Amino acid sequence: MMNINTRHSLALLSAAALALTVGCTSLKTPATAEVAVSKAAVDNAAGAGGAQFAPVEMNAAREKLALANKAMLAKDYKEARALANQAQADAKLAQSKASSVKAQAAADVLQDDIRVLREELDRSQ
């Protein structure tokens, strides 16, 4: 009959072995989901005007996504994950920059409209 300490140690050892196995397995499984999410992020950034308003970031995102796809073909899933995550970050930055530029442009138009209205009000008085 095992005592409580032996059972407890055995349970901890089993849990550690399971965690190690799962961790190593995830490095050997394809990074399909990560690459797909990154592709969607790049597509969204392009749709938001990233190529026009943040071309450096968009190019970086596209290049890293292409490298992630090459790593997938080479079955270097760890590298594919890393590149996919970097591509996603670059794409989000491009999308944010594009949104910021568009918002600033809209604010500028609004300020111009307000200025024109004020000038018309001043003339009418």
Side-chain angles (χ1 to χ4, degrees):
M1 192 164 166
M2 284 194 242
N3 67 25
I4 293 175
N5 286 337
T6 305
R7 280 192 286 177
H8 183 63
S9 297
L10 194 58
L12 284 175
L13 185 60
S14 296
L18 178 63
L20 184 60
T21 302
V22 169
C24 290
T25 302
S26 70
L27 295 176
K28 294 178 182 175
T29 56
T32 308
E34 290 89 343
V35 173
V37 168
S38 296
K39 183 182 181 332
V42 170
D43 291 345
N44 288 340
Q52 179 182 358
F53 299 113
V56 172
E57 292 79 5
M58 278 302 301
N59 287 337
R62 287 180 173 142
E63 288 173 12
K64 288 174 184 167
L65 182 58
L67 290 172
N69 283 316
K70 284 183 183 179
M72 284 287 290
L73 290 174
K75 297 185 180 191
D76 186 352
Y77 303 129
K78 182 178 179 184
E79 182 70 8
R81 273 189 189 83
L83 288 163
N85 289 333
Q86 292 172 20
Q88 184 179 358
D90 288 339
K92 286 182 178 181
L93 179 59
Q95 186 172 358
S96 294
K97 280 189 169 186
S99 296
S100 178
V101 169
K102 287 180 183 179
Q104 186 60 52
D108 291 346
V109 168
L110 187 59
Q111 287 297 324
D112 285 344
D113 290 347
I114 291 170
R115 182 188 49 78
V116 169
L117 285 173
R118 284 188 179 145
E119 289 172 359
E120 289 178 11
L121 281 173
D122 289 344
R123 274 185 257 163
S124 68
Q125 292 177 358

